Amino acid sequence: MQFCATLRKPGNLKPLRSTSTALTNKRSYSSEDREYLHKSIVPTMHYQKSLPRLPVPKLEDTIKRYLAAQRPLLDDDQFSTTEKLARDFENGVGKQIHEELVAQDKQNKHTSYISAPWFDMYLSARDSVVLNFNPFMSFNPDPKTEYNNQLVRATNMVASAVRFMKTLRAGLLEPEVFHLNPAKSDTDSFKKLIRWVPSSLSWYGAFMVNAYPLDMSQYFRLFNATRIPKQGKDELFTDPKGRHLLVMRGGNMYVFDVMDRDGNLVKPAEIQAHLKHILSDPTPAAAHPLGLLTSENRDTWARLREKLLATGNGEVLGLVDSALFCLCLDDESMNDHIHISHNMLHGDGTNRWYDKSFSIIMAKCGNAAINFEHSWGDGVAVLRFQNEVFKDSTENPLVNPGSQPAAVDSASAVRRLQFNLDAELENGVIKAKENFHTAVSKLTIDAMQFMKGGKEQLKKKKLSPDAIAQLAFQMGFLRQYGQTVATYESCSTAAFRHGRTETIRPATIHTQRCAQAFVQQPGKHSVEQLIGMLSKCSKYHGQLTKEAAMAQGFDRHLFAMKYLANSKGQALHSLYQDPAYAAINHNILSTSTLTSPAVNLGGFAPVVPDGFGVGYGVHDEWIGCNVSSYPERNVHEFLQCVHKSLEDIFSVLEGKPLIQ
């Protein structure tokens, strides 16, 4: 079974539709050239200098959008109070803070107004990164079944990942571009022309042919990078000099070089030999697996890391931090999609280093996934990497099931890291394990496939597939709980320099009316009236999506003004103290989508204790959801309600009236 779902955390990720060209680009791949994935005619960062700046929305537009999003969540009296507070903010202190934000933005033209506050939000958070921030995306199996062998697939993915890194750092990785008219812009002739346009003007050249280059400033943090815990606020660390890979198995940690002293990829047969050595290492599972500490509260982990450094572990911790990335070799096989989701999202905590920018997890059965730390960047960079690695490792594998590992001395090339642990550190690991199991034992994940229709049917009816999926979640929640609640859908703003994300607010007055008609008044409306409501939902959702992608939502603007007021020690306006503001930011339905030939399913935990984490994908003929919840919500019942909602929608689109 395949589910294309995905991730999102507080401020997280949905790439612009069709942003990644990674699976369709023409390659200049040569079997002799093992060092690079391809050699782009256009330099990787060619468009970066001329990317447009992330706009600060007009204050009156932000307030108007904020109130429109609040309307379906509040009764008349609550809305009246919220409206008064919002107008008072708009005409008073809000105007002053907005002007200060605009002035500050003009002084920092190298970046975006949201970049520093967003990094600060993530890095200041003290909650565990597990469940609260790190999402996962699992790879589809290799189409050639025999290549789904743990050793073979791990070797090929490591080699492809190193080649991606080398291609990126050499400036040979195809720039990430959103093509509205690929026949004009995604061509060799256009690329040959645009490469001669100066970087300071290149964006405009792409814009002339309806192509939109995307920000690639986050990519450098993919490799040799980690999040380091510090008291109060963490730090991001990157050391591009590291040539080694970090491998985890049974909670033990190993390193070996995957590049030689000249920066060339080590022979794939040698990588295979080293990984085979690790897989056959008889060392027992670690008694105190240090990876568990990365799942702790950040201040607790910061204190224990200081203790680790004080007890002589600085050199080995440096090797962990500076490794290209982390490869987790798991000893268990995955039974089904629920098992995959739990293992790739959190696992048992012992065989992970959750702070690395990303880890490739490889189960014994060859199931693979990426789990990534979220503060450094969003899904555009990770999805591009995953697409490229999947394509390269399946189409150009450097080892095969019959390959023999090189006859090298892996025992001396591979180093198992040894840590000095005292009683305090050992107790810290034991406590971390208890806390970890308490947290993950509360999480339930379930999945659903709706097989009676998908993207093709919806587009024929001139309806947005994403809007209909979001409407089904609104209808499902109303059917289950009788309410409309705060809903978050993530959208990338990578079309702008140092853009991060903006929020689409899918719970609208249109979805509320439509959901009530379908769920609570099934016999009251004709098929034509119901189709009219579906159309209104679709159009309005399309407008919200365009606004968010163009950085014209309200969430980031209000957040940045609040951050600025806090940083200056100013008292917060009553708008921010309003229970309605707290409620709209308590996202009970947290949703995100992506569709990619490389991705099987993905997911994330709810962002609030009484919420759902909804990863979904709308495919040509079917719709899939991968949903998580804690005990306060019933995820199985929710998915049944969503399935029933989709059945009703597609029945109406076929001209059948709703049955009371």
Side-chain angles (χ1 to χ4, degrees):
M1 283 208 284
Q2 290 184 5
F3 300 84
C4 191
T6 177
L7 25 142
R8 224 210 74 315
K9 290 278 64 174
N12 161 9
L13 60 110
K14 166 157 102 197
L16 290 163
R17 275 58 166 178
S18 309
T19 51
S20 184
T21 55
L23 290 153
T24 54
N25 283 334
K26 293 187 181 82
R27 305 298 177 124
S28 56
Y29 180 83
S30 153
S31 59
E32 289 81 37
D33 188 353
R34 297 292 190 207
E35 298 302 312
Y36 304 108
L37 293 180
H38 56 251
K39 293 183 177 177
S40 173
I41 302 169
V42 184
T44 306
M45 305 302 278
H46 187 57
Y47 298 108
Q48 195 67 23
K49 273 188 191 172
S50 57
L51 281 174
R53 299 199 63 228
L54 188 77
V56 180
K58 292 178 181 172
L59 182 59
E60 58 267 32
D61 289 343
T62 287
I63 297 301
K64 182 180 78 179
R65 289 171 183 137
Y66 172 65
L67 290 172
Q70 284 283 20
R71 182 64 273 208
L73 307 178
L74 304 173
D75 64 28
D76 290 347
D77 288 345
Q78 290 168 330
F79 183 75
S80 177
T81 302
T82 293
E83 188 174 30
K84 281 177 193 156
L85 292 173
R87 296 296 175 208
D88 184 68
F89 179 76
E90 179 185 359
N91 298 318
V93 69
K95 193 178 285 186
Q96 177 198 332
I97 302 172
H98 170 77
E99 284 168 5
E100 286 178 23
L101 183 67
V102 170
Q104 189 184 74
D105 183 52
K106 281 179 181 166
Q107 290 170 354
N108 292 283
K109 292 190 175 174
H110 63 287
T111 186
S112 70
Y113 79 91
I114 200 63
S115 186
W118 213 240
F119 274 119
D120 200 38
M121 175 203 70
Y122 272 118
L123 295 171
S124 299
R126 300 291 83 195
D127 293 329
S128 166
V129 296
V130 183
L131 301 188
N132 296 300
F133 296 101
N134 286 29
F136 84 92
M137 294 187 288
S138 74
F139 286 91
N140 268 317
D142 192 306
K144 302 182 292 296
T145 314
E146 66 275 18
Y147 279 77
N148 292 304
N149 164 282
Q150 186 180 30
L151 176 59
V152 172
R153 199 169 199 208
T155 304
N156 281 322
M157 281 196 174
V158 167
S160 294
V162 174
R163 283 151 47 77
F164 179 96
M165 182 273 293
K166 292 202 64 189
T167 310
L168 169 68
R169 289 185 179 167
L172 298 172
L173 188 72
E174 189 87 26
E176 191 76 357
V177 178
F178 180 58
H179 298 278
L180 276 177
N181 186 357
K184 272 193 176 179
S185 57
D186 197 12
T187 64
D188 284 346
S189 56
F190 174 74
K191 290 169 188 173
K192 283 173 184 169
L193 176 68
I194 198 72
R195 68 176 169 170
W196 297 112
V197 176
S199 283
S200 55
L201 300 170
S202 55
W203 182 88
Y204 301 95
F207 175 75
M208 297 296 284
V209 291
N210 242 351
Y212 296 87
L214 302 183
D215 178 75
M216 295 184 75
S217 62
Q218 297 172 5
Y219 279 59
F220 83 98
R221 288 207 194 272
L222 269 168
F223 300 99
N224 302 104
T226 199
R227 174 174 174 159
I228 293 185
K230 298 280 183 180
Q231 291 293 334
K233 182 182 172 183
D234 294 353
E235 292 174 3
L236 293 174
F237 169 86
T238 308
D239 178 9
K241 296 190 291 295
R243 295 184 281 115
H244 60 283
L245 176 70
L246 171 67
V247 183
M248 297 187 71
R249 179 170 173 260
N252 292 307
M253 304 166 85
Y254 306 81
V255 293
F256 65 86
D257 285 352
V258 285
M259 292 189 293
D260 65 22
R261 292 186 184 282
D262 298 322
N264 298 315
L265 175 69
V266 167
K267 287 176 184 170
E270 290 184 24
I271 295 173
Q272 186 180 13
H274 299 337
L275 292 177
K276 185 179 180 184
H277 171 80
I278 292 168
L279 283 167
S280 55
D281 182 10
T283 303
H288 296 92
L290 274 196
L292 277 161
L293 296 181
T294 65
S295 73
E296 262 289 12
N297 167 281
R298 302 306 294 178
D299 283 338
T300 303
W301 171 207
R303 179 179 58 77
L304 290 167
R305 185 185 164 97
E306 286 302 317
K307 179 74 177 169
L308 274 168
L309 292 170
T311 48
N313 296 290
E315 189 251 345
V316 280
L317 275 175
L319 288 170
V320 172
D321 296 339
S322 62
L324 272 169
F325 61 93
C326 180
L327 171 68
C328 306
L329 297 173
D330 286 359
D331 285 335
E332 63 178 324
S333 294
M334 304 291 101
N335 303 326
D336 53 39
H337 54 274
I338 307 296
H339 192 180
I340 291 170
S341 294
H342 278 291
N343 189 64
M344 303 313 190
L345 181 61
H346 54 78
D348 69 0
T350 63
N351 205 45
R352 305 282 183 271
W353 195 267
Y354 298 105
D355 286 357
K356 284 300 281 182
S357 57
F358 74 90
S359 297
I360 293 179
I361 302 163
M362 183 73 63
K364 197 171 185 69
C365 54
N367 263 308
I370 288 176
N371 179 298
F372 70 97
E373 196 281 313
H374 217 318
S375 64
W376 64 270
D378 304 307
V380 176
V382 181
L383 181 62
R384 173 69 185 278
F385 170 75
Q386 185 158 3
N387 284 342
E388 295 277 7
V389 165
F390 180 76
K391 182 176 176 64
D392 188 59
S393 64
T394 56
E395 293 184 7
N396 308 306
L398 298 185
V399 299
N400 62 60
S403 297
Q404 288 302 309
V408 290
D409 183 9
S410 292
S412 55
V414 177
R415 175 180 171 188
R416 182 165 63 83
L417 301 183
Q418 308 269 21
F419 292 86
N420 300 319
L421 304 182
D422 61 12
E424 184 188 347
L425 287 165
E426 288 181 353
N427 287 332
V429 173
I430 292 165
K431 183 66 178 163
K433 188 173 186 177
E434 290 170 7
N435 293 340
F436 178 88
H437 285 297
T438 300
V440 302
S441 65
K442 294 175 184 169
L443 187 76
T444 303
I445 299 176
D446 199 5
M448 177 213 81
Q449 281 182 308
F450 176 79
M451 304 305 295
K452 297 177 185 176
K455 199 183 293 179
E456 287 190 0
Q457 273 173 268
L458 294 171
K459 285 192 169 175
K460 277 179 193 166
K461 300 288 184 182
K462 297 186 176 170
L463 295 172
S464 153
D466 189 57
I468 297 304
Q470 288 288 344
L471 174 63
F473 305 144
Q474 295 299 316
M475 286 167 59
F477 197 90
L478 184 70
R479 189 181 300 278
Q480 188 178 10
Y481 295 105
Q483 286 178 276
T484 298
V485 291
T487 307
Y488 184 116
E489 181 180 3
S490 184
C491 183
S492 171
T493 51
F496 301 94
R497 190 185 317 158
H498 293 191
R500 293 287 310 235
T501 58
E502 183 53 90
T503 310
I504 302 166
R505 290 291 181 173
T508 68
I509 52 167
H510 302 291
T511 62
Q512 188 176 47
R513 286 174 193 150
C514 190
Q516 286 168 348
F518 270 81
V519 175
Q520 296 172 335
Q521 310 147 351
K524 197 175 167 186
H525 304 275
S526 68
V527 167
E528 290 72 24
Q529 287 172 321
L530 292 170
I531 289 175
M533 289 183 190
L534 292 173
S535 181
K536 273 188 185 170
C537 289
S538 177
K539 281 177 185 157
Y540 192 65
H541 187 81
Q543 177 192 325
L544 292 178
T545 302
K546 280 178 193 159
E547 286 173 357
M550 298 312 291
Q552 294 297 314
F554 67 84
D555 281 85
R556 299 299 175 267
H557 189 197
L558 286 179
F559 173 82
M561 287 190 286
K562 181 183 178 186
Y563 180 87
L564 182 59
N566 273 330
S567 69
K568 292 185 169 239
Q570 296 171 5
L572 286 178
H573 183 269
S574 304
L575 174 141
Y576 292 111
Q577 318 289 352
D578 183 8
Y581 181 78
I584 202 170
N585 286 292
H586 184 86
N587 291 298
I588 288 171
L589 284 171
S590 179
T591 75
S592 189
T593 183
L594 62 81
T595 311
S596 157
V599 178
N600 182 5
L601 73 155
F604 50 93
V607 297
V608 292
D610 57 340
F612 289 114
V614 183
Y616 66 101
V618 185
H619 303 266
D620 289 344
E621 305 291 345
W622 61 283
I623 298 169
C625 300
N626 197 33
V627 184
S628 61
S629 76
Y630 293 118
E632 287 188 51
R633 298 287 179 192
N634 185 327
V635 69
H636 314 298
E637 193 178 274
F638 175 68
L639 282 173
Q640 288 169 0
C641 291
V642 171
H643 196 279
K644 168 74 171 126
S645 302
L646 288 167
E647 281 183 343
D648 287 352
I649 291 167
F650 278 85
S651 289
V652 165
L653 292 177
E654 288 166 10
K656 298 172 189 167
L658 287 178
I659 300 163
Q660 278 182 291

